[in-house]
Structures are given as C-alpha cells and as structure tokens.
Amino acid sequence: MPIERQISEYLHQEAETMECPPAVSKRIEQSYSQYLQQQRSKKTMKKRLIGSIVAAVIMIPTAAFAAPPLIEMITRTPMTAKQVKMDAVGQAALEKLYRSYPETKSFEIIDASRLGGDPANASQGKAIQTSIVLQEKGAHGKKIRLDLNATGEIEQVNQENWEPQEKPVISLTDQEIKSKVDDLINKLYGSSSKYECNMEPMQNPDQKTFILNYTEKGSTTPFYQAFVQGNTISVSLIGGGPAPSVGGFFMTNGKPDYTADAFLNDEELFSLLHMSPADLKEELAKGASVVEIAASKKISKQQVMDVIASTQAKKQIQADPHGGATVDDRTLELLKRILEPKVLKVIEHKTETPW
Amino acid sequence: MQSESMYHVLTKMIEGDQQAFHTLYDATYKDVYRTVSFLVDHPQDREDIMNEIYMQMWTSLPNYDPSRPFHFWLHGLVIRQVQRFRVKSWRRFRIFERIRVFSREEHHWDQPTLRTDGTDPEISRAMHKLTDKQRTVIILRFYHDYTLEEIATLLDIPLGTVKSRYHAGLQSLRKQLGNLPLERMDKNNAY
C-alpha cells in the first residue's frame, strides 16, 4: 500500500477514536452565553478582549489549591464602568487605587466583571470576586487589574506595562525588581517590611520569570506571592498561616507530598474523625484514603467533603483570617459546590499514587 | 452542512440566536476537535484552543465571506488559533499554575497519547516525530484532503514552503515506517 494511502487511512481511523470531552462542549457553550450576555449588556464598556475570560479565571488567586478550572464553573457577569463606580466594593477599590497611583484617575475602565451576586441587585448576595481592569489611554498604556474579594480586599493585582517597553520590568536588576514589587505591596496592600522576602527564578522554559514569596516569621505559607514576568508584576494575597501541625499527609516516590496538606490540616476534620493529625497521617501511610478511614468509623464521604469544603470556602471568602467578614450562606454554598470535586480528589487519594 | 444553510445559521448566530449556535457547534465540533487533537498533544491545551476557536468564530463571523466554502474558513480559524496558541503569552500563566499546583499531573499529561485500538501504533509514533509545521501540512493534506495550493492559502505561506514541508514530512514518515519490520521484531522479542 503506498504510504500516502496508509497515512490517510490511519488518520481517518484515528480520528474516529477521538472523542471530544463533554467538558469542552460545556465550556464553549458557557463562553458563548457569556459572550451573548456581554453583547447585550455592552453599553459603555469597550468590547471585551478575547481570552480575558480565560485570563480572569487563571488569575483568580486561590487559597491553597482550589484549581482555577473549578472557579470557571460559575459564570462571570460583566459590569459596566458605571456599575463599578456604583458598587461599594468597586468604589472603595478605585478610591484606594487613585490615592496610591494618582495617574490612574485618567485611566479608562476597560473591563470589569464579577463572580456571583447580581450587580443590579444587592439583595442577591455579595460577589465572591469583583475584577476591574484599568488602562492608560494610548496603544501600549499602563494597565492594572484588581481582583477583589467579597469584603473588598484586594486578592490579586496585576500591573502591566508600567516600565518602558524597551526596558521591561524583568530586565531590571534583582534589587530594582524587588523594590518595584515592594512598592506595589506597600501602596495597595499595606506594609511589606514585616515580611521576609525570598526571590527565586522559576523554571519556566518559555520566559524568564521570578517568584517572590513574602513570608511572616514562623509561617510556612507566604503572605504575599508575586510573579514577575515580561513587563508584568502580579501580586496575590495568600494570607500566610502558621506552620501546619502535620505536613506531608501523603507520599509520592517515597517523599512527603504537600499537595493535599492545606485541605487535610483541618481541625473540623480531625474532630469529625476523632483522630489527631498524627494518627491520620499514620493511617494514610498504610495506603487507605480519607474516605476509607472515615467509612471504618461510619462517617460518610459526604460528611467529610462537607467539612473540608466548608473550611476551604470560608478561607477563600475571608482571604484575611483576621478580617472577620460576614459570610452569607448563599455565597458559601456556591463556593462549596465549586470546591467539592477538588476535595473529592483529595479524600479519595491514596499515598504513593499519582495525582 | 452546505455552505448556504451554514451561512443562514451564521447570520442567526450574529443576531444572538442560541439555537443557531448549537446547530453550528454540533455540525463542526467533531471535525474541529479532531483536527486540534492531531496538532496538539496536551489535552488541557486542546480544550483551551477549542474554546478560543469558537470564541474567535463568534467575533469574526462578520468577516466570513459566504461565497467561500465554510469549512475552509473554519480550518483557517483552527490553524491560526493553534499557531497563536503556540506563541501566546498568557500560556505562561498556565505554566505557572502547572508548576505550582499540578506538577505531578503535568508529567502525566504531557505523554503523547498513543492509541492502539484499531489504529496503527507505528504510524502514530511516526506522526509524533514530525515537527509541528510538517504535521500541520500532513494533516491538512491527508485528513482534510486539501491540495498543496489550498494549504498554502490556509497557512498563508508560499507554495514552495508547503511543498518542502510536505516532502520532508513524508520522507520522515517513510523513514520511520521503513524501520517497521525491525521494530516489530524487537517487540516480539521483548515479550
């Protein structure tokens, strides 16, 4: 058989075995209704950039490891510039930004959206996240994106093109880069001085990237985390946290695996299981999953999931543990539902198996 | 679906008819997904690209010239999005996230999917050894049956370049498949 025919037959045969995952169709359908919504609500807003939805989803800072795709499951509602200015959270954020960077007063709000809640109807619950993007007029203007949580705290800020194009921020010296990041944190979050900063290059084959972790003394998780790449500085508020009582509940290749620790170091979980963290770790080391350990104590999977999802959802809403924000039930439920698949993965995981 | 009725559907979509979107999606997604799968190995990337393709489709509907075949236009979108994805900068954020969160998963995902059910694993392996550029030409030629001239238009490159990629691709496949009997023997010995 000539090779041309062989290839053609192979490709057609192979194509028959390729099934488009339903999740893809669902995502596209969602993107389309979002697009339609935008088209309809587009009044003062500029046409939204393609991909901004994707970017928004990726940029959502996550407490420990709520995966970005999960957050994608709820729809972002676009907001007009006017709605941003009317919204309490949006208004406060803009004021703070204008105070810190007076030049931003002349910037245009080129994009804004929120997750959850209804911008036109405050009784519908608070937004879990509000995102606002401002840009300087002109082709390559400075750009800044703010992601705010339900209490109006800045969860993430993205500063783009603030250095001249020919000398992007990543080309500066380490010291200069650090002072740029410090400045951003000082202006928008508070003081950076009480944190120890550790700056390291990331293994990124595509582009030079730095990661800066700002950690409180005695804490294992950073309080702020910044990425510097190209002409962009992106800072997330992680919120720090004390060293977990037990680390490495699971093992991978014989080494402690910290992936699930944030989910499993949960006082509520320990009391539900009537186990100390050390006992739980010991049981997990025998190769049982959390679900199986719970089952042996006649505790259902749903109960375990509920406890963990609820802790994580609360953490996400109050990125600041001392914030004391009131959490409304609707938002909490919504976040819990979103977190469930991720929790399920953790509690069904067995040590030494790939994630 | 014929181009004419397709254009009708497209017109309805511009007006924001959700039903039209479903009709169009159902008529095209398999072909689009398969094409993307041939060109991109990583499942998560495929998903992102699929989304981009359809988003691009909605926004560029007004540019579609109904006198041209719809699939040709659609494949143009597919090719451009795949190419755009390869150089796109926001991908770096995915990379961040993967390094940060899913480092273990990534390792697993990045294995090219070698399917053996009913298809030839040797050709599959040989296809994976082609460069992206060669693979694109080979897929357009043998899966979509485009002529080399059409491929040149689709990829927006000179015909000569298409020809050289086509021949280089075929030669590489031939070379890989030439080793066939030997590989098979090795396999037999291994078991």
Side-chain angles (χ1 to χ4, degrees), chain A residues 3-4 6-8 10-21 23-25 27-29 31-33 35-36 40 47 50-51 53-54 58-59 62 65 67-69 72 158 202-207 209 225 227 229 232 238 252 257-259 342 345 355, chain B residues 13-14 16-18 21-22 25 29-30 33-34 37-38 44 47-48 50-52 54-56 58-59 84 89-97 99-102 104-105 113 115 117-120 123-124 127 138-139 142-145 166 170 173-174 177 180:
Chain A
I3 188 165
E4 287 85 351
Q6 219 179 330
I7 297 169
S8 165
Y10 159 77
L11 289 175
H12 284 92
Q13 246 177 43
E14 173 82 10
E16 287 301 310
T17 68
M18 291 172 176
E19 285 302 329
C20 178
V24 173
S25 304
R27 176 171 162 192
I28 292 171
E29 200 184 318
S31 302
Y32 183 62
S33 26
Y35 169 76
L36 278 187
R40 285 176 191 145
K47 202 171 169 185
I50 306 168
I53 299 169
V54 183
I58 295 160
M59 299 315 299
T62 48
F65 74 108
E72 219 163 320
N158 225 37
M202 287 198 36
Q203 287 177 317
N204 182 347
D206 286 5
Q207 227 176 336
T209 303
Q225 190 169 50
F227 288 108
Q229 188 171 51
T232 303
I238 311 254
T252 300
D257 174 347
Y258 300 102
T259 315
K342 199 73 206 174
K345 207 169 159 193
W355 283 95
Chain B
M13 250 183 87
I14 299 178
D17 182 331
Q18 208 130 3
F21 157 74
H22 282 288
Y25 183 77
Y29 81 97
K30 278 193 186 159
Y33 182 76
R34 288 166 179 180
S37 299
F38 278 131
Q44 184 63 47
E47 191 178 308
D48 292 342
M50 283 289 282
N51 198 35
E52 293 271 310
Y54 281 93
M55 287 175 85
Q56 175 72 52
W58 311 321
T59 43
R84 193 170 151 256
S89 63
W90 68 253
R91 191 173 177 211
R92 66 189 188 226
F93 291 111
R94 281 272 168 190
I95 293 167
F96 279 171
E97 285 303 323
I99 292 171
R100 220 150 61 118
V101 185
F102 289 121
R104 287 167 201 87
E105 268 170 340
T113 35
R115 276 171 240 263
D117 44 338
T119 65
D120 193 327
I123 304 190
S124 171
M127 290 291 298
I138 296 290
I139 299 299
F142 294 110
Y143 182 57
H144 292 302
D145 292 319
Y166 172 76
L170 267 188
L173 288 171
R174 223 178 241 125
L177 297 175
L180 246 174

Side-chain angles (χ1 to χ4, degrees), chain A residues 10 23 85 97 99 126 139 184 191 247 265 271 277 290 303 327:
Chain A
Y10 159 77
K85 288 175 184 158
L97 180 68
R99 252 198 329 271
K126 282 181 182 175
L184 187 61
S191 167
N265 269 306
S271 66
V290 177
Q303 279 173 289
V327 176

Side-chain angles (χ1 to χ4, degrees), chain A residues 9-132:
Chain A
E9 277 181 12
Y10 159 77
L11 289 175
H12 284 92
Q13 246 177 43
E14 173 82 10
E16 287 301 310
T17 68
M18 291 172 176
E19 285 302 329
C20 178
V24 173
S25 304
K26 218 174 146 193
R27 176 171 162 192
I28 292 171
E29 200 184 318
Q30 231 173 33
S31 302
Y32 183 62
S33 26
Q34 232 159 23
Y35 169 76
L36 278 187
Q37 239 178 11
Q38 263 168 36
Q39 293 298 93
R40 285 176 191 145
S41 70
K42 198 171 67 184
K43 285 175 195 142
T44 51
M45 293 282 285
K46 262 191 169 182
K47 202 171 169 185
R48 200 176 167 128
L49 294 168
I50 306 168
S52 68
I53 299 169
V54 183
V57 164
I58 295 160
M59 299 315 299
I60 293 169
T62 48
F65 74 108
L70 296 176
I71 303 216
E72 219 163 320
M73 286 158 66
I74 20 175
T75 325
R76 297 190 75 88
T77 320
M79 293 168 86
T80 60
K82 204 173 155 193
Q83 278 170 334
V84 174
K85 288 175 184 158
M86 298 286 286
D87 181 77
V89 164
Q91 209 179 4
L94 286 181
E95 274 171 23
K96 188 170 195 177
L97 180 68
Y98 293 158
R99 252 198 329 271
S100 313
Y101 294 97
E103 71 252 57
T104 55
K105 277 185 200 157
S106 65
F107 287 15
E108 272 179 301
I109 298 180
I110 57 159
D111 198 5
S113 61
R114 57 195 273 153
L115 270 175
D118 180 352
N121 183 359
S123 65
Q124 287 248 327
K126 282 181 182 175
I128 296 170
Q129 192 192 54
T130 311
S131 304
I132 309 168

Side-chain angles (χ1 to χ4, degrees), chain B residues 65-91:
Chain B
D65 169 6
S67 62
R68 284 171 58 205
F70 177 75
H71 272 98
F72 193 78
W73 182 76
L74 178 63
H75 288 141
L77 280 186
V78 172
I79 294 296
R80 274 193 301 281
Q81 287 302 324
V82 170
Q83 287 175 337
R84 193 170 151 256
F85 186 82
R86 290 191 175 130
V87 290
K88 205 164 25 172
S89 63
W90 68 253
R91 191 173 177 211

Side-chain angles (χ1 to χ4, degrees), chain A residues 97 132-134 142-146 157-159 162 188:
Chain A
L97 180 68
I132 309 168
V133 186
L134 293 102
K142 295 178 179 177
K143 200 167 161 185
I144 190 156
R145 178 195 173 97
L146 301 171
V157 57
N158 225 37
Q159 201 187 42
W162 285 54
L188 290 182

